[in-house]
Amino acid sequence: MDMRMGGALYEELYREAQESHGINFIRGKVSEVSENINNKLVVKVEDTLAGRPLKMELDLLVLMAGMEMSESGQKVATATGLLTGENRFFAPADHHFGSNKSNIEGVFFAGTCTAPLNITETISHARAAASDVVEYLRTRND
Amino acid sequence: MTDMGKFGFTILKERHIDYDANDKSIAEFIAENEPSFRLCIECGCCSATCTTGTFTKFSLRELQIFLKRGENDYVRENISKCMLCGKCTLVCPRGVNTRNVITLAKTAFQKTEKYAV
């Protein structure tokens, strides 16, 4: 529950993880992570589906943090006057029809400098940027 | 009940689910014999349609979660409330054979000396 996969074949991946690899997904709110006497990580969570607190020993804990634009990206923005948006990434001219174009002529965006993207989206975005650059050069030569 | 009872005090049962200490052999037995058990996403469709659930506190969703966490005592106490009508199996969006899960859980409890009635 509460796991809804966005994108092609991700739902199948979720199913495969459960079915073939026996992965057990537990929904919960982490309250504390500490080290026990065996130098292992102990995570305490509120198991929101069972409605009770739960504790377990872990070999590996991966924390998922939100993505933000790199510091150097921010420096580029202030140095060149490229606009940043509400999400503090570079703001494209238009999110739907001009996601590669910037507010400066001849400067194009590609990849995760405008928003968090997965690899597939990044590749598509980069190809779109290349095509925009070609179009831009062609119009300048005319 | 200890002598503490005489003074109006009892020792509360630990509410924490100790995931590592809990016995998950029942859940493993079910998953081996009914692999669809692993596919449960705890949506609660089974409980919503359950006739027993309408009249009692019985919730199959809760039992499936507790089975996976190894809280077997609670499951063993409640599982016999199920009338095996199988409506839960019909509505399950993930195609879990819930009816078989219940019968297998009962079998597993009978097999395991610790839980056998």
Side-chain angles (χ1 to χ4, degrees), chain B:
Chain B
M1 186 67 73
T2 56
D3 288 345
M4 293 287 275
K6 290 177 191 168
F7 303 100
F9 296 104
T10 50
I11 296 167
L12 283 173
K13 200 180 162 284
E14 171 86 79
R15 262 181 62 78
H16 248 109
I17 299 173
D18 195 339
Y19 194 77
D20 300 304
N22 278 357
D23 168 30
K24 288 182 281 296
S25 63
I26 306 282
E28 278 160 21
F29 175 83
I30 298 168
E32 247 170 60
N33 293 283
E34 181 54 62
S36 67
F37 174 61
R38 292 201 184 98
L39 288 174
C40 175
I41 50 168
E42 288 108 28
C43 64
C45 284
C46 47
S47 299
T49 192
C50 182
T51 315
T52 314
T54 325
F55 301 111
T56 67
K57 273 185 170 179
F58 179 81
S59 160
L60 184 55
R61 171 186 156 277
E62 195 179 32
L63 294 195
Q64 293 218 61
I65 293 166
F66 281 141
L67 271 175
K68 283 182 183 170
R69 307 289 190 270
E71 292 284 308
N72 296 327
D73 290 326
Y74 180 83
V75 180
R76 191 181 58 81
E77 281 165 24
N78 287 282
I79 204 153
S80 51
K81 287 180 189 168
C82 170
M83 301 185 289
L84 294 171
C85 68
K87 275 202 284 182
C88 48
T89 313
L90 295 176
V91 297
C92 181
R94 284 229 138 191
V96 180
N97 191 342
T98 42
R99 197 168 176 270
N100 197 23
V101 166
I102 293 166
T103 48
L104 282 169
K106 283 183 178 175
T107 318
F109 284 131
Q110 286 299 332
K111 272 189 178 178
T112 320
E113 217 174 286
K114 206 173 95 187
Y115 301 108
V117 187

Side-chain angles (χ1 to χ4, degrees), chain A residues 4-80:
Chain A
R4 283 295 174 270
M5 309 296 119
L9 298 175
Y10 285 147
E11 191 65 39
E12 283 76 5
L13 184 71
Y14 176 31
R15 209 182 157 102
E16 188 191 318
Q18 286 181 309
E19 208 164 28
S20 314
H21 307 295
I23 293 170
N24 191 6
F25 294 92
I26 299 176
R27 187 187 81 173
K29 285 184 173 167
V30 180
S31 60
E32 187 190 323
V33 182
S34 53
E35 198 181 343
N36 69 3
I37 201 159
N38 307 320
N39 292 331
K40 287 267 188 142
L41 285 172
V42 176
V43 66
K44 285 184 182 174
V45 297
E46 175 69 35
D47 186 336
T48 46
L49 284 170
R52 281 173 53 188
L54 180 145
K55 62 179 172 190
M56 61 160 70
E57 229 176 59
L58 299 174
D59 297 319
L60 182 70
L61 177 78
V62 181
L63 298 172
M64 303 293 280
M67 185 177 178
E68 53 178 28
M69 190 161 73
S70 66
E71 276 177 39
S72 50
Q74 194 54 54
K75 276 181 200 158
V76 170
T78 41
T80 58

